[in-house]
Amino acid sequence: MNLTLKIWRQKNAQSKGKMVDYKVTEISEHMSFLEMMDVLNEQLVNSGEEPIAFDHDCREGICGMCSMYINGEAHGPDRGITTCQLHMRMFKDGDTITIEPFRAKAFPVIKDLVVDRTSFERIQQAGGYISVNTSGNTQDANAIPISKHAADEAMDAATCIGCGACVATCKNSSAMLFVGAKISQYALLPQGQVEAVDRVNNMVAQMDLEGFGNCTNIGACEVECPKGISLENIARMNREFLKANVKG
Amino acid sequence: MSGFFKSSIGRKFTMALSAFFLMFFLLQHFAINFLSVLNPDAFNEVSHFMGTNPLIQYVLQPVLLFGVVYHFVMGFILEIKNRSSRVVKYAKNNGSANSTWMSRNMIYSGLFILIFLVIHFIDFWIPELNTKYVQGDMSGLLADGEGYRYYEELQHKFLPPWRIALYCLGFIFLALHLLHGFNSAFQSVGANNKYTKGLKGFGKAYAILVPLGFIVIALFHHFNH
């Protein structure tokens, strides 16, 4: 298929970007979206132009690096996928595809389609962990009784890959689905109880400090999340935060 | 707790609490208005009680006013904060692919409700305050002293077609606001789990039936006078 691509080009974090049109031809419907981008970049390199910078690593839907906003949706017009799992069969010959970086004040553009998502790492560092004695006396986690229901829900929350599609999709650039998932995965397990109050207080404080917006419960993040993280995690975070503040 | 009220989650929590209060108020307002269709005498009695009872007038009325003002002011504060969280807008954004129009446009439905409320206050509330607290007439009686004035005033207000049209439009925007707002308030206070699934259907029914009820009452008085 032959396609017209409208792609955001930005030299560096300081420069002002703009949309630039490109043409690609003979794209196979079996290609992944990133493979199509590879074809375009090869074309650009051969013609002596600067290739388009975009993030990618595993190309199997796990790393969450491929932060592209395609035709107005994070990771494009398919559900439960990252950009590397988006196939060109989702498009038609002659289509014009708009490709932009994830946009949020807390995700500044580094170059072209590459954004800085270290704000997520700082939120994790603020409390997204448990403290475990590793001096040789570590208790076997399998020895702690956990209900199947709680283990399943914690696992569902832990599947969040921190790609940032929730922030990119949210009309308010809210990070609450990400933070809700990271808080939930510990809140549901006994190992997470000891530091529960500090965790939720510190992670929410860091989230607010990074400049993310407020959740208005529109649910777009849940729809666009490649791992199907549920809005229930945001509700759980709200409960945990209220509980932590009532306790003091 | 002071940090709680300054945080993003705390602010949403207080927005939800004010929403719960306003939704409860709306329901009792509807119940009283509905009485005007069923039994004008009962409507007069209840209106007089609501308009003269000290607890309602001096405690609940100021709480209601605070709730209304807080919900609007905090709504605008959050909207400004949310808009500033994305400096460069998307060239193409397909919001309808993943969310409802109502949920994305709460600020606009809210703004229209605010305009409607201002007109509603000028129309109903301020004349009521003038009669009771400026002119000092707490009797609730008609000028000739023959019975209560409330039912007659209500019928008189619903005569002009422009007011009916504005009234209907105001409640259509309220329905749109509630279609997202009702369940959103529960999510904001952390109530979203297997026990609250049934609330979603109830929320939709409330959002449609209560505003529709207000519209039907207004039309009833317009065409039956």
Side-chain angles (χ1 to χ4, degrees):
Chain A
M1 60 179 91
N2 300 328
L3 302 161
T4 302
L5 307 173
K6 289 179 176 296
I7 304 180
W8 181 260
R9 299 302 313 255
Q10 187 172 332
K11 201 174 173 187
N12 53 46
Q14 288 74 41
S15 65
K16 214 175 159 213
K18 60 173 182 180
M19 300 299 290
V20 179
D21 289 2
Y22 297 97
K23 298 262 184 211
V24 282
T25 54
E26 292 175 25
I27 296 296
S28 160
E29 62 175 16
H30 303 301
M31 279 181 182
S32 78
F33 200 84
L34 294 189
E35 284 166 344
M36 184 276 294
M37 292 296 290
D38 292 337
V39 170
L40 171 65
N41 270 349
E42 209 170 281
Q43 213 173 281
L44 291 175
V45 170
N46 287 340
S47 61
E49 285 182 66
E50 176 88 8
I52 294 150
F54 63 91
D55 254 331
H56 59 101
D57 190 5
C58 73
R59 296 207 178 199
E60 54 186 14
I62 295 297
C63 74
M65 289 303 288
C66 41
S67 53
M68 288 186 200
Y69 210 72
I70 302 159
N71 275 353
E73 287 183 74
H75 300 138
D78 204 353
R79 296 288 170 258
I81 54 147
T82 50
T83 308
C84 62
Q85 296 169 305
L86 176 67
H87 284 85
M88 295 314 293
R89 67 182 76 101
M90 293 298 294
F91 302 93
K92 292 193 301 288
D93 183 39
D95 272 1
T96 298
I97 306 173
T98 306
I99 310 165
E100 298 172 81
F102 282 0
R103 297 213 184 275
K105 197 168 112 187
F107 285 174
V109 173
I110 299 169
K111 186 177 181 179
D112 296 338
L113 303 172
V114 181
V115 296
D116 179 358
R117 281 168 286 183
T118 49
S119 49
F120 268 14
E121 287 166 28
R122 288 188 290 274
I123 293 171
Q124 277 287 72
Q125 286 158 8
Y129 53 81
I130 55 165
S131 301
V132 176
N133 185 345
T134 54
S135 61
N137 300 314
T138 313
Q139 187 181 5
D140 186 347
N142 290 320
I144 303 168
I146 300 168
S147 77
K148 175 81 170 75
H149 180 67
D152 285 350
E153 277 197 292
M155 187 60 213
D156 286 346
T159 56
C160 168
I161 53 175
C163 64
C166 47
V167 174
T169 297
C170 177
K171 77 177 189 70
N172 311 318
S173 306
S174 169
M176 289 200 188
L177 193 68
F178 165 74
V179 184
K182 295 301 167 196
I183 285 170
S184 286
Q185 73 185 58
Y186 296 118
L188 288 156
L189 301 176
Q191 292 95 327
Q193 302 311 311
V194 183
E195 292 156 313
V197 170
D198 286 346
R199 176 178 305 112
V200 70
N201 279 337
N202 294 342
M203 288 180 83
V204 169
Q206 189 64 38
M207 171 181 77
D208 290 348
L209 197 67
E210 296 289 350
F212 292 104
N214 291 279
C215 173
T216 46
N217 310 319
I218 71 170
C221 53
E222 183 184 55
V223 175
E224 297 289 350
C225 174
K227 300 299 162 191
I229 302 293
S230 161
L231 281 185
E232 286 181 24
N233 291 295
I234 300 181
R236 188 177 294 107
M237 171 178 66
N238 294 348
R239 290 198 297 275
E240 287 288 312
F241 190 65
L242 181 65
K243 213 160 61 181
N245 279 274
V246 169
K247 276 183 186 171
Chain B
M1 282 295 275
S2 68
F4 177 81
F5 294 108
K6 285 180 191 161
S7 70
S8 52
I9 295 177
R11 285 176 167 184
K12 284 298 299 172
F13 188 82
T14 54
M15 269 298 272
L17 289 188
S18 60
F20 284 136
F21 178 72
L22 294 176
M23 287 192 290
F24 182 74
F25 164 75
L26 191 72
L27 203 58
Q28 71 86 25
H29 194 330
F30 170 73
I32 294 171
N33 280 22
F34 193 54
L35 260 186
S36 71
V37 174
L38 298 177
N39 186 337
D41 289 338
F43 173 75
N44 271 330
E45 291 290 342
V46 174
S47 298
H48 188 65
F49 171 79
M50 297 294 284
T52 53
N53 183 281
L55 179 72
I56 291 164
Q57 286 296 298
Y58 305 122
V59 180
L60 292 180
Q61 194 163 252
V63 171
L64 172 65
L65 256 186
F66 174 77
V68 170
V69 172
Y70 183 87
H71 197 73
F72 279 109
V73 171
M74 189 50 81
F76 288 124
I77 290 172
L78 291 173
E79 180 68 16
I80 291 164
K81 159 78 182 145
N82 291 343
R83 280 176 186 248
S84 72
S85 298
R86 178 167 292 134
V87 185
V88 181
K89 307 292 173 207
Y90 287 112
K92 187 172 182 179
N93 192 22
N94 190 9
S96 59
N98 47 44
S99 55
T100 63
W101 184 91
M102 286 79 79
S103 69
R104 296 193 306 277
N105 292 285
M106 290 295 274
I107 191 69
Y108 298 113
S109 54
L111 259 177
F112 197 90
I113 294 164
L114 177 61
I115 294 167
F116 170 75
L117 267 186
V118 169
I119 297 168
H120 192 61
F121 275 21
I122 294 168
D123 245 10
F124 288 86
W125 195 59
I126 293 175
E128 192 64 21
L129 287 184
N130 182 45
T131 305
K132 287 189 298 197
Y133 301 112
V134 178
Q135 294 174 18
D137 179 8
M138 298 292 281
S139 70
L141 296 172
L142 289 161
D144 58 9
E146 296 284 318
Y148 284 128
R149 60 183 164 83
Y150 308 104
Y151 185 74
E152 200 165 299
E153 281 179 2
L154 183 80
Q155 283 192 314
H156 179 74
K157 288 284 182 189
F158 284 131
L159 273 182
W162 68 265
R163 189 179 275 129
I164 293 289
L166 184 77
Y167 198 83
C168 292
L169 205 58
F171 278 102
I172 288 169
F173 275 94
L174 181 65
L176 294 173
H177 201 72
L178 287 170
L179 273 170
H180 175 67
F182 187 98
N183 287 311
S184 177
F186 281 93
Q187 166 80 7
S188 288
V189 297
N192 180 0
N193 49 44
K194 60 183 175 184
Y195 304 110
T196 58
K197 296 287 183 219
L199 267 177
K200 292 197 171 131
F202 180 77
K204 275 189 185 153
Y206 177 95
I208 293 167
L209 294 178
V210 173
L212 185 67
F214 273 101
I215 291 172
V216 169
I217 293 165
L219 292 174
F220 174 84
H221 288 299
H222 179 72
F223 291 112
N224 276 283
H225 191 61

